[in-house]
Amino acid sequence: MPCQISYEDDTVELETAEELFVALELTPIEADKEILSQIDEGILDLVKTDEQFLLILEKVLDTRGASKAPYLKCFGTKLSQVVTKGSTLFKALSLLANESDQEYFLQCLGQEAIRKCICNINDLVEALTWLYGKMDILFINLIGWDFVVRFVNSGRSLGALMKVLSQKEEQELLERMGWQAAIDCIQDPDDLIAAFIGLEQQSDRLLIDKLVEFNKLQIVIPSVAELERVCRRGLGVDDIAYLREIYQKILAN
């Protein structure tokens, strides 16, 4: 169904997202809110796909720091119809300029829609990367720690996730997983390097101790050459010395 909009002395009918884009292009940014208020819930007659949603999101109210809430509010709880992919989720978050816009966006999507967008660890990490302030807490509360944990199945995925979590969230993740599961994720030197890079520095030594506790250190680091490779990546000077000391003791036994 066409949407009719008027601006100054002109009235036009819009039938597609592309036509809406052109209308926004031809009118000043100050007119964007007026145009959106005329379209309102009719937005879904124009914007029907993820790609179209992002096309207009990037264009509308395109001034530095401007809220895009007027556009989001046209969709309301029906946002899930045009946000169906992980790439759409994180690109939209990257285009929203403040916490309040992100909060509205996430709340309107809700748990089920956000979960459907996240298919792998990359989708999860990308979304977390673009969250402002306390929105990471809201995001994790919405999707649930149980959902987050299911994507951690290797040292690489563990490290990638740790890099975008706060120290408190990192501790929460490890508590939810349990150290046995965390250690099981680490199978080779590259897994361990990824985990060290992702972890907060104060947790590196604890990880070393847990690898020893679960008799996993020499399995993960099978040679002195691999030990030196691990030591060159992601560890502070004191932790390098500690790891070498522990490793030598294991070799001596």
Side-chain angles (χ1 to χ4, degrees):
M1 182 183 298
C3 292
Q4 188 176 85
I5 62 168
S6 299
Y7 179 69
E8 294 184 341
D9 297 326
D10 295 319
T11 298
V12 296
E13 284 192 346
L14 307 176
E15 295 186 355
T16 67
E18 290 70 24
E19 289 178 355
L20 173 56
F21 182 90
V22 172
L24 294 169
E25 183 77 20
L26 294 176
T27 54
I29 289 175
E30 294 75 19
D32 287 5
K33 289 183 181 180
E34 181 181 342
I35 291 171
L36 291 171
S37 69
Q38 294 176 53
I39 296 172
D40 198 26
E41 294 180 359
I43 195 75
L44 284 166
D45 292 324
L46 305 176
V47 178
K48 301 177 181 180
T49 69
D50 288 47
E51 292 74 21
Q52 291 172 348
F53 170 74
L54 290 173
L55 174 73
I56 304 302
L57 180 64
E58 185 170 10
K59 179 62 181 173
V60 74
L61 298 161
D62 187 24
T63 55
R64 186 177 180 84
S67 170
K68 293 180 182 281
Y71 177 58
L72 299 177
K73 288 178 179 178
C74 290
F75 295 93
T77 56
K78 295 180 180 178
L79 263 172
S80 59
Q81 295 183 30
V82 290
V83 181
T84 66
K85 306 172 187 175
S87 58
T88 309
L89 179 65
F90 79 75
K91 286 176 183 176
L93 289 169
S94 74
L95 291 168
L96 297 176
N98 54 58
E99 284 186 57
S100 61
D101 280 6
Q102 290 191 340
E103 180 177 9
Y104 182 83
F105 175 73
L106 293 172
Q107 294 283 19
C108 284
L109 282 176
Q111 182 185 83
E112 183 178 355
I114 297 173
R115 283 186 168 195
K116 284 181 179 179
C117 288
I118 299 172
C119 299
N120 53 56
I121 189 67
N122 291 331
D123 288 339
L124 180 59
V125 169
E126 287 281 11
L128 284 163
T129 298
W130 289 105
L131 292 168
Y132 298 123
K134 296 182 179 179
M135 287 305 99
D136 55 338
I137 298 173
L138 171 64
F139 182 80
I140 292 172
N141 286 340
L142 277 172
I143 61 175
W145 276 108
D146 61 322
F147 183 75
V148 172
V149 167
R150 73 177 64 172
F151 292 102
V152 184
N153 52 25
S154 69
R156 294 165 179 82
S157 59
L158 178 64
L161 184 55
M162 293 296 193
K163 284 178 73 174
V164 295
L165 295 179
S166 67
Q167 184 179 353
K168 184 178 180 181
E169 290 162 351
E170 178 183 292
Q171 292 171 350
E172 178 81 6
L173 175 63
L174 291 172
E175 288 175 10
R176 298 274 181 166
M177 289 183 65
W179 272 106
Q180 178 67 66
I183 295 301
D184 286 346
C185 287
I186 301 173
Q187 298 295 324
D188 57 37
D190 290 321
D191 273 341
L192 183 55
I193 289 169
F196 280 144
I197 291 173
L199 281 168
E200 294 283 342
Q201 188 171 351
Q202 51 266 46
S203 298
D204 289 342
R205 188 164 299 199
L206 179 58
L207 176 57
I208 295 169
D209 290 341
K210 290 296 181 181
L211 285 165
V212 174
E213 180 183 333
F214 289 100
N215 298 312
K216 193 78 179 281
L217 186 64
Q218 197 170 3
I219 296 172
V220 173
I221 308 177
S223 67
V224 173
E226 292 290 5
L227 171 67
E228 293 307 312
R229 187 163 73 88
V230 170
C231 287
R232 290 194 295 269
R233 299 286 304 279
L235 283 176
V237 174
D238 292 341
D239 290 327
I240 289 173
Y242 182 72
L243 177 58
R244 284 174 174 157
E245 179 185 349
I246 294 295
Y247 195 82
Q248 291 302 323
K249 285 181 179 178
I250 291 173
L251 291 180
N253 290 336

